[in-house]
Amino acid sequence: MLSDLDISICLIAIAPFIAAIFAPVVQRFCAGMTGWVLSVVPLSIFVFLTSFIPEIAGGGFVYAGFDWVASYGLRFSFFIDGLSLTFGLLISGIGTFIVLYSGAYLEGHHHQGRFFAFILMFMGSMLGLVFADNMITLFAFWELTSITSFLLIGFDNVREASRRAAIQALVITGGGGLAMLAGLIMLQQLSGQWNISGLFQYAGVIAEQELYLPILLLILAGAFTKSAQFPFHFWLPNAMEAPTPVSAFLHSATMVKAGVYLLARFNPILGGTVEWGVILSIFGGVTLLWGATMALKQTDLKQMLAQTTVASLGLLVMLLGIGNEAAIIAVVLYLVAHACYKGAMFMVAGSVDHATGTREITALGGLGRIMPFTLAAAIIGVAGMAGAPLTVAFFAKEEMYAALLHDGLSGLLAQPQDLLAIAVILVGNALMMGVGLAILIKVFFGTLKPTPVQPHEGSLSLWAGALVLGVLAVFTGVAIGWTEQYLITPVASPIHNLLVNGQLYLDLTLFTKPQFYVSVLTWVLGVVVFWQIDEIRTRLRAFSRVLNWSFDALFDWLMFGLVRLSDALTRFWHHGRLELYLLVVFVGFAAAVIIPLVWENALPPMPELTALPFYEWSILLIAAIGLVAVLIARTRLVAIVSLGIQGFAVALIFLLFGAPDLSFTQFMVETLSVIILALVMTRLHLDQRDSRIFQDVFRDGGLAVICGVGVTVLMLAVLQNPLDMRLSDLFAATSVPLAHGHNIVNVILVDYRGLDTLGEISVVMTAGIAILALIRIRGGGPQTGAGAKKPDSRGNRTEKAA
Amino acid sequence: MATTEETQAIMESLPPAMLEKATAAADWVIILPVAIALVCGALLLMLRNSRGTQAVFAALSVIAILVCEVDLFIRVLETGPQAMTMGNWLPPFGISFTVDMIGVLFAIGASFVTLVVIIYFQAEIVAREVRNGFYSLIMLLLAGVTGAFMTGDLFNLYVWFEVMLIASFGLLIIGGRKMQLDAAIKYGFLNFLATTFFLIGLGYLYGMLGTLNMADISLTAPNAPVGPITAVAALFLLAFGMKAAAFPVNAWLPASYHTPDPAISALFGGLLTKVGAYALLRTLLLLLPGSREVLDPVITGIAVFTLILAPLGALAQTNLRRAVGFLVIGGIGAVFAGLAVPSLRGVAGGTFYAFHSMLTMTALYLVAGLVERMTQATDTRFMGGVYQFNSPVSIMFILLVFAAAGLPPFLGFWPKLLIVEAGLGMQDWLIVSAVLINSLLTSIAGTRLWAHIFWRSGREGDEAEVFNDRLRPLTVIENRASLTAAVSLVAVIMVLGLWPNLIFESVRIAASDLLQPERYVSATGLEVTP
């Protein structure tokens, strides 16, 4: 049964959707205050979630849910542990500030109501994603985040770049999601479990299955596309077309982490294998270096941050690939650190943009004096990016180096892959630090440069979020013991599937550890990068000009190719020429009647012809002559009449074999067909002769013969067995005593199968209405006159035109 | 001719139920939907000059039909398939109406969609079309469709196909535009052929089995020679494949569906192809399951090509309703996919998809019609700016795009989930990939349409800031009738997407009755031979 707790936990994900529905209304009434009003929703979710901290920190779990699709065994089930709770707190906490920030950032925008609706829907989807226990629930929310992200990236809808970026993001993340769906279902079919929490008991078992690798690859496809791993990374920088609050929230702090979340979530189930380690480390490492290098190339603040986000996501994936205890601790710390400082940095970038009207780093300078609060937030943010001591990012960095230095320096030298990994991480971190320093120093210090808008400090809601997030990043670093108890152990343990105890202290023992000196090396390198950043940028730009190629261009080329291919295929199959459509259909017909007989080796033997009396022979002869005449007739009129002759002969055969009713009907039909066809010929001024070229005649005639032979052969095959006479016998027996009619055919028509007759009568009535409508077109239709006068040319031309 | 003794013997062997028991009064509800539709079709023809009463009369009759069908639905849900035999000539002799879950579910979908379309049509109403028997044709179309869904007799199914075909032909030409006549020629030729192929196959089948009752066919078909019966199944596959607009015999659909008024497009999109899909499921699963196995590679091929080529077609189109037509075809691919992996899940998925497609495709056409009204264009290159202009239409369109693509938690997701699950269970990677790729391609095609019609502010080639100046607001009547009708349909689609439990339960029953015909057969009164 549903308990109150179940309902309130499920409401975590559902409430934002409900709020989203009312957001445009709220916006209409509250105008400038909308952000403050709506931020109550994420805030109350945040507060509600904090109430779970003691229980979860104590190593407990909370399950909740209700039956969603009972007949399918699908539960809308939620599962709270350290990992999901941390994500939930980040989403709702950052979300609160983002909603506030958007209220000011988009003040007066004519679609602000829609914006709030979208962002609240996104928040609900993201919360649902991280708390979902049932894999289908998880997938539903997963795709909802893609959809809401699509709507938010395209928010600035009049710009083509936004529209393109939105579709690109949806294609890549949505496509990856679909692959992931297949992986999740396979996982379920292996284990019989829809619940992730139920899958933990199969840790280690699944990796031994034959289908392990396909499952892993499919799920990784979902995670890698969502978390912008190389080579699917390019959608993320393009997604910066979205308004800044969206970039800060979706494309830095939360949605792009969904892939990392998924990997962390499935680490106990799918992780620990060689494949896992190798794939994650390689893709993560490449993404890290790629993103960090690309960040150096940019001059747009948001682009710089976006590329470092790509790099950070690569780093997280790489650490999950390394997968030992220290690496997992590093993941947890870095996850929180990154969400805080990168969210803060994006808000800073947005505030700068809002205040000056530009985001070009070369056009900015000396803003520190004018925007002191923003500067403060930026300093703390960049400290996080650099992993400066006292911030939580510092410990993250220490732990990631420690993960590879577990055997000391000598052990590292013995393991070339570890050495490579540590070099990659070191370089990546240093590059990101260089970018951070560039943003801080070039934008806020130096001389003030003229900007499109006179710079001014933004309102409270524009800088408060960034500042709080920055302070949080420092606080968690200073109080590392507290962080350990409430964050690292509860979060890392479910990822690692063992109780994790990091034993991190902020004291003098730091200096005795080798990883500290690697950190120092990182800082030194980072400062060098900053010092040389203009030079590096010039070089990189020159190089990419020479290369003249990008993944983005490849995507465009593929999409363009897809549209061209579709165009060609559609033209090929839907050319508008009826005779060719008919050709395809008759080829299908011939195949349907002939191939099964040949395939099943059921071709009938040649039938024995019983001795026919002379009049039967002569009728057959007439029919045959009629048919041949149709084929060789010079004019169409002769062909029509010949077809009539053949039809009359068939009617006579019916007559001779005891079916007078059928025969009379056939006579009527044949007579009418000849008359109507002849009328059509003359009234529509159709050509006297068939104007097909020889190849067409040969093709059509050949196909006609094949179809005719096929029908006959199948008929002979059917006649191999005697007809079951149950129905006829009953009709004969009951016609008089029960149905009170002597003419069996009539009784069949009006009694045994009266409903068919009723149906046929309605066909006649309907045909009458249709004909009436057709006739009236000439009188009152929109296209009178010209169309009706030259029907012959019309028939042909319009066919081709369509 | 039977001798007197034989006659005597047959008379004595007749089941007493045939002679002594009348059809129970409650069972008449089985034939009532078709009867109401036919009678109203005739009455509306008589009323064709009184424009005011027609719409109300038609709407009320459809509501009456819906009530009967809901009653039937409940009975089927509670006690299994229901049967009624005309004239009490008990099977296999007379014509039985045998209503099982798939039939009644589709019939409800069809009537509901028709009701929505009638309301929607109030804004597009053209006096000439009404005088020419528009409502009559609608009711006759509904009669044909409902009859097809409910009949338990194969020849009777053919009759309903004919009713449906001629009524739809009438609706296609009733507007009298030149484009419609051309479309009607292609539609007419290809569909008459399909119906004829069905009739040919039917003749052969009767020649082999000597029966037309579906339940009886499912009992006797295993005794028939494999070769010819497979040929018959192949003919059915071709005929119903054409009706359902499966690859490669679907040319008539994109050539015709976009030519009549949007309301009629919507009705076609919702009803016609689904009858083909229904007939396929019925004949290849209930009647000739052995032949389906033989034809499995063909069905898989059709499914894969239809699933992939259809959204590509939508991608290539610039005419909005033509693009929607290709999306209709894509859905048929999903039904074929369900047929290619005929486990309980697969068949349930195919059934579910067809039901979903009835609602969603109708809604897409209705929304497309509203877009055409506002933009005064039919080509997406000349549309644009609707996003700023009309929120309800924008919201509906994007919801329907995702519903059609089958992204969760929209209605189209659930059937695809079932089919993918069935495919993975049978390790049919081809079907699974095709279904998933179809989702991806459909979302690409759909979101491109969305970007062009809604997000782009002006017409193609305009400067970014130039707003489409040809937009006109919906009139009062368009808001009251068309928009309301579309919104209610989309609301139903959304609610069913979020709470799909009832549909899941229904399609599970439908699939299980298709795969294990015992309940279906015994409902008609025939003995199930072990």
Side-chain angles (χ1 to χ4, degrees):
Chain A
M1 244 8 262
L2 277 180
S3 71
D4 289 347
L5 188 64
D6 280 331
I7 295 171
S8 35
I9 290 177
C10 293
L11 270 179
I12 294 172
I14 296 168
F17 283 96
I18 299 170
I21 295 172
F22 294 106
V25 185
V26 174
Q27 204 269 331
R28 202 161 296 166
F29 286 107
C30 304
M33 296 300 289
T34 321
W36 292 93
V37 174
L38 287 175
S39 65
V40 171
V41 179
L43 185 65
S44 35
I45 292 173
F46 183 83
V47 171
F48 177 63
L49 283 175
T50 51
S51 69
F52 289 98
I53 290 178
E55 192 178 349
I56 302 299
F61 305 101
V62 179
Y63 296 90
F66 55 85
D67 282 331
W68 189 9
V69 188
S71 50
Y72 184 63
L74 191 62
R75 269 178 75 76
F76 190 86
S77 57
F78 278 13
F79 165 62
I80 305 181
D81 67 351
L83 182 62
S84 51
L85 184 61
T86 306
F87 266 96
L89 287 168
L90 283 175
I91 296 160
S92 53
I94 299 178
T96 309
F97 292 118
I98 291 291
V99 171
L100 270 180
Y101 184 90
S102 323
Y105 187 83
L106 286 173
E107 194 168 357
H109 192 286
H110 57 295
H111 281 159
Q112 205 190 17
R114 278 180 200 189
F115 181 84
F116 279 118
F118 294 158
I119 208 141
L120 285 169
M121 279 195 279
F122 165 75
M123 196 185 304
S125 320
M126 195 64 209
L127 286 166
L129 194 165
V130 296
F131 287 114
D133 190 8
N134 184 296
M135 289 193 284
I136 295 299
T137 318
L138 175 110
F139 176 73
F141 284 117
W142 181 277
E143 292 295 61
L144 271 175
T145 59
S146 292
I147 291 171
T148 42
S149 148
F150 165 78
L151 292 169
L152 284 166
I153 297 172
F155 182 71
D156 197 2
N157 60 295
V158 295
R159 291 183 40 243
E160 198 188 345
S162 302
R163 302 199 292 264
R164 173 177 165 274
I167 292 181
Q168 187 182 56
L170 183 75
V171 169
I172 292 174
T173 59
L178 291 168
M180 185 181 88
L181 174 66
L184 295 178
I185 295 176
M186 284 161 79
L187 206 53
Q188 188 268 341
Q189 288 181 339
L190 271 186
S191 64
Q193 280 284 349
W194 275 124
N195 286 344
I196 298 172
S197 56
L199 280 168
F200 290 140
Q201 54 178 303
Y202 297 102
V205 183
I206 297 206
E208 288 157 16
Q209 304 294 320
E210 198 185 332
L211 287 175
Y212 169 71
L213 196 61
I215 292 177
L216 179 67
L217 292 177
L218 288 168
I219 291 181
L220 288 185
F224 281 8
T225 48
K226 199 81 161 182
S227 280
Q229 296 299 296
F230 186 90
F232 307 112
H233 60 282
F234 53 92
W235 70 264
L236 182 54
N238 287 338
M240 295 301 135
E241 294 295 340
T244 303
V246 175
S247 307
F249 193 33
L250 275 72
H251 305 122
S252 172
T254 58
M255 186 183 97
V256 289
K257 299 264 172 55
V260 175
Y261 165 80
L262 192 83
L263 294 177
R265 182 49 93 208
F266 280 99
N267 188 38
I269 302 159
L270 298 172
T273 62
V274 180
E275 295 93 330
W276 172 277
V278 170
I279 298 174
L280 262 61
S281 305
I282 290 179
F283 278 89
V286 172
T287 311
L288 168 61
L289 289 182
W290 181 275
T293 315
M294 286 298 122
L296 292 171
K297 218 179 91 178
Q298 308 296 334
T299 51
D300 180 299
L301 286 181
K302 272 180 80 179
Q303 283 298 324
M304 294 169 87
L305 290 172
Q307 298 287 3
T308 56
T309 305
V310 172
S312 301
L313 293 166
L315 180 55
L316 284 166
V317 169
M318 192 178 171
L319 289 170
L320 281 165
I322 294 167
N324 58 27
E325 190 174 325
I328 299 296
I329 295 174
V331 168
V332 175
L333 290 172
Y334 194 73
L335 204 60
V336 175
H338 181 258
C340 291
Y341 76 70
K342 198 55 76 63
M345 287 304 288
F346 265 108
M347 290 199 235
V348 166
S351 300
V352 168
D353 186 15
H354 196 76
T356 63
T358 180
R359 294 194 308 246
E360 279 295 306
I361 194 164
T362 49
L364 292 164
L367 289 175
R369 269 154 294 163
I370 301 165
M371 306 174 71
F373 296 107
T374 315
L375 170 67
I379 290 175
I380 304 174
V382 172
M385 275 180 96
L390 297 183
T391 67
V392 68
F394 168 72
F395 288 98
K397 219 157 269 182
E398 291 290 292
E399 282 303 302
M400 60 183 87
Y401 293 136
L404 294 160
L405 284 166
H406 41 81
D407 292 332
L409 212 55
S410 51
L412 182 71
L413 292 172
Q415 297 272 345
Q417 72 270 33
D418 283 2
L419 191 64
L420 182 66
I422 207 164
V424 167
I425 296 179
L426 195 156
V427 171
N429 276 332
L431 294 177
M432 284 197 276
M433 179 181 163
V435 174
L437 285 176
I439 293 176
L440 178 67
I441 292 170
K442 302 216 165 176
V443 172
F444 289 95
F445 296 96
T447 51
L448 190 64
K449 292 182 182 171
T451 48
V453 179
Q454 185 61 35
H456 55 91
E457 179 64 293
S459 64
L460 171 70
S461 41
L462 280 177
W463 51 259
L467 206 55
V468 171
L469 287 176
V471 169
L472 195 67
V474 175
F475 171 77
T476 42
V478 175
I480 189 71
W482 182 89
T483 310
E484 162 120 33
Q485 186 192 346
Y486 286 102
L487 185 72
I488 300 171
T489 309
V491 181
S493 301
I495 302 179
H496 204 49
N497 215 16
L498 283 172
L499 192 64
V500 173
N501 195 346
Q503 293 173 338
L504 300 177
Y505 306 101
L506 188 62
D507 60 18
L508 290 176
T509 55
L510 278 175
F511 300 112
T512 63
K513 294 179 183 165
Q515 53 263 38
F516 179 74
Y517 298 97
V518 186
S519 286
V520 172
L521 191 59
T522 314
W523 293 327
V524 173
L525 208 59
V527 173
V528 173
V529 170
F530 164 66
W531 179 42
Q532 287 294 330
I533 193 161
D534 290 327
E535 178 68 11
I536 298 172
R537 185 187 302 132
T538 322
R539 290 275 167 88
L540 280 171
R541 293 198 157 183
F543 179 68
S544 66
R545 258 198 305 280
V546 175
L547 195 62
N548 196 19
W549 189 89
S550 68
F551 282 94
D552 209 23
L554 176 71
F555 179 85
D556 276 351
W557 184 80
L558 283 175
M559 283 296 272
F560 186 62
L562 188 70
V563 175
R564 288 257 305 255
L565 173 77
S566 318
D567 214 40
L569 281 172
T570 312
R571 264 172 220 285
F572 180 75
W573 287 108
H574 299 275
H575 37 66
R577 291 169 60 194
L578 183 59
E579 66 270 26
L580 295 185
Y581 292 155
L582 289 173
L583 191 75
V584 173
V585 168
F586 276 108
V587 168
F589 178 77
V593 288
I594 294 172
I595 293 177
L597 289 185
V598 178
W599 187 262
E600 297 287 340
N601 215 359
L603 286 174
M606 199 58 195
E608 287 175 38
L609 286 177
T610 44
L612 296 178
F614 75 95
Y615 52 90
E616 288 178 355
W617 271 117
S618 44
I619 293 170
L620 269 182
L621 196 65
I622 294 170
I625 290 172
L627 269 187
V628 175
V630 173
L631 292 176
I632 60 171
R634 283 174 165 250
T635 66
R636 284 177 164 157
L637 209 54
V638 175
I640 292 169
V641 174
S642 312
L643 198 61
I645 293 173
Q646 180 266 352
F648 266 67
V650 173
L652 280 173
I653 294 174
F654 287 156
L655 194 66
L656 291 175
F657 284 81
D661 306 69
L662 196 58
S663 171
F664 292 145
T665 318
Q666 177 85 4
F667 278 126
M668 293 295 289
V669 169
E670 291 298 336
T671 313
L672 282 174
S673 330
V674 170
I675 294 172
I676 292 172
L677 279 173
L679 274 177
V680 168
M681 280 280 304
T682 50
R683 295 282 297 181
L684 295 188
H685 308 292
L686 293 183
D687 292 339
Q688 283 288 310
R689 290 165 198 283
D690 191 342
S691 53
R692 274 178 287 194
I693 57 169
F694 176 73
Q695 284 95 319
D696 287 0
V697 174
F698 184 75
R699 180 194 67 197
D700 298 347
L703 188 58
V705 170
I706 293 173
C707 287
V709 170
V711 169
T712 315
V713 171
L714 182 55
M715 177 58 84
L716 291 174
V718 166
L719 290 178
Q720 292 294 300
N721 298 313
L723 179 63
D724 183 332
M725 297 295 282
R726 277 185 299 164
L727 265 58
S728 313
D729 287 346
L730 177 109
F731 293 158
T734 56
S735 172
V736 177
L738 289 182
H740 309 289
H742 288 274
N743 182 333
I744 295 186
V745 175
N746 286 358
V747 175
I748 290 177
L749 287 180
V750 301
D751 194 343
Y752 298 119
R753 301 199 65 90
L755 190 65
D756 286 344
T757 313
L758 179 67
E760 293 296 345
I761 292 170
S762 352
V763 171
V764 175
M765 173 171 81
T766 318
I769 303 174
I771 291 166
L772 187 76
L774 261 180
I775 292 171
R776 285 193 177 166
I777 289 171
R778 285 187 68 168
Q783 258 108 32
T784 46
K789 273 176 199 156
K790 278 192 198 162
D792 49 342
S793 56
R794 179 185 64 183
N796 294 326
R797 223 187 3 233
T798 46
E799 227 164 66
K800 276 169 195 134
Chain B
M1 266 302 111
T3 61
T4 330
E5 293 83 54
E6 277 168 5
T7 306
Q8 210 60 40
I10 290 173
M11 286 291 290
E12 275 160 21
S13 73
L14 289 178
M18 197 182 246
L19 304 175
E20 289 151 21
K21 255 174 65 185
T23 304
D27 283 346
W28 284 87
V29 75
I30 295 169
I31 190 70
L32 221 45
V34 175
I36 295 175
L38 282 179
V39 170
C40 291
L43 283 176
L44 280 164
L45 191 61
M46 296 174 198
L47 289 174
R48 70 184 185 284
N49 284 326
S50 61
R51 275 178 55 196
T53 53
Q54 288 209 46
V56 179
F57 188 72
L60 286 177
S61 352
V62 179
I63 290 172
I65 292 170
L66 256 178
V67 169
C68 297
E69 283 165 351
V70 168
D71 174 58
L72 265 174
F73 176 79
I74 295 166
R75 283 175 59 179
V76 172
L77 195 66
E78 282 169 358
T79 58
Q82 308 285 315
M84 174 200 174
T85 304
M86 305 307 133
N88 218 17
W89 299 104
L90 291 185
F93 305 113
I95 296 173
S96 291
F97 258 45
T98 317
V99 183
D100 62 352
M101 189 46 97
I102 184 173
V104 72
L105 187 66
F106 284 9
I108 289 179
S111 318
F112 178 66
V113 158
T114 310
L115 183 64
V116 171
V117 167
I118 289 176
I119 297 169
Y120 180 93
F121 185 71
Q122 297 317 306
E124 335 193 320
I125 216 142
V126 186
R128 181 173 40 78
E129 292 183 6
V130 174
R131 210 177 54 242
N132 284 348
F134 173 82
Y135 287 108
S136 247
L137 289 172
I138 295 262
M139 293 310 290
L140 287 162
L141 181 67
L142 185 60
V145 170
T146 312
F149 288 145
M150 294 195 170
T151 187
D153 185 282
L154 207 53
F155 185 81
N156 196 239
L157 178 65
Y158 166 76
V159 172
W160 298 123
F161 264 95
E162 268 195 276
V163 173
M164 195 175 80
L165 172 58
I166 197 82
S168 56
F169 184 81
L171 284 171
L172 194 54
I173 55 166
I174 202 166
R177 282 181 290 272
K178 205 165 167 183
M179 198 170 69
Q180 289 178 314
L181 294 183
D182 175 59
I185 289 172
K186 291 192 180 102
Y187 176 85
F189 262 108
L190 292 165
N191 276 281
F192 271 116
L193 260 182
T195 322
T196 310
F197 291 166
F198 172 29
L199 186 61
I200 294 174
L202 185 60
Y204 286 131
L205 191 70
Y206 183 71
M208 276 182 283
L209 303 178
T211 182
L212 291 167
N213 183 290
M214 291 189 189
D216 201 28
I217 293 173
S218 82
L219 294 177
T220 49
N223 310 328
V226 180
I229 199 96
T230 308
V232 168
L235 276 175
F236 287 167
L237 181 63
L238 174 67
F240 300 140
M242 282 174 78
K243 296 297 277 186
F247 175 85
V249 286
N250 50 17
W252 59 269
L253 193 152
S256 61
Y257 269 26
H258 63 291
T259 59
D261 292 331
I264 299 174
S265 290
L267 197 62
F268 286 6
L271 302 187
L272 298 182
T273 51
K274 302 333 171 256
V275 183
Y278 161 83
L280 270 171
L281 292 168
R282 175 69 81 208
T283 49
L284 293 182
L285 291 170
L286 185 86
L287 305 187
L288 307 168
S291 310
R292 194 217 63 84
E293 255 166 61
V294 182
L295 293 172
D296 192 74
V298 183
I299 296 172
T300 304
I302 296 173
V304 170
F305 277 104
T306 312
L307 278 168
I308 296 198
L309 288 179
L312 290 182
L315 202 55
Q317 293 304 319
T318 54
N319 181 307
L320 174 57
R321 273 193 283 153
R322 246 177 97 99
V324 176
F326 278 101
L327 295 183
V328 174
I329 297 176
I332 295 305
V335 179
F336 267 85
L339 200 58
V341 283
S343 63
L344 187 65
R345 292 246 147 104
V347 175
T351 312
F352 198 152
Y353 203 96
F355 179 76
H356 141 78
S357 172
M358 267 185 186
L359 305 182
T360 305
M361 293 307 157
T362 305
L364 259 176
Y365 274 114
L366 295 182
V367 173
L370 289 171
V371 170
E372 286 181 7
R373 284 299 174 89
M374 281 187 286
T375 57
Q376 307 187 54
T378 54
D379 193 308
T380 54
R381 285 170 296 187
F382 305 111
M383 296 176 172
V386 184
Y387 185 65
Q388 275 103 316
F389 199 68
N390 192 316
S391 313
V393 172
S394 310
I395 294 169
M396 285 195 288
F397 189 87
I398 195 71
L399 290 178
L400 290 172
V401 162
F402 291 124
L407 295 186
F410 303 103
L411 190 56
F413 168 67
W414 304 109
K416 283 199 169 163
L417 173 67
L418 285 168
I419 295 168
V420 169
E421 230 193 312
L424 286 172
M426 295 190 173
Q427 312 241 332
D428 195 336
W429 307 113
L430 204 58
I431 289 288
V432 172
S433 331
V435 170
L436 294 176
I437 291 173
N438 170 271
S439 282
L440 182 63
L441 292 176
T442 308
S443 31
I444 295 178
T447 50
R448 270 173 60 96
L449 286 175
W450 162 261
H452 287 162
I453 302 167
F454 292 86
W455 270 350
R456 188 180 62 210
S457 57
R459 275 167 273 167
E460 190 174 88
D462 286 352
E463 292 290 317
E465 275 74 31
V466 176
F467 192 72
N468 187 354
D469 53 0
R470 286 187 57 187
L471 288 176
R472 70 151 179 84
L474 294 174
T475 59
V476 177
I477 177 77
E478 278 167 349
N479 266 324
R480 272 203 207 135
S482 303
L483 191 69
T484 312
V487 167
S488 350
L489 184 55
V490 173
V492 168
I493 292 170
M494 287 306 293
V495 168
L496 288 178
L498 291 174
W499 287 276
N501 198 30
L502 183 65
I503 312 289
F504 258 100
E505 182 65 16
S506 312
V507 295
R508 195 185 56 76
I509 296 173
S512 112
D513 280 345
L514 281 174
L515 293 170
Q516 287 140 6
E518 287 81 14
R519 294 206 318 162
Y520 185 88
V521 171
S522 54
T524 63
L526 287 168
E527 296 285 321
V528 186
T529 43

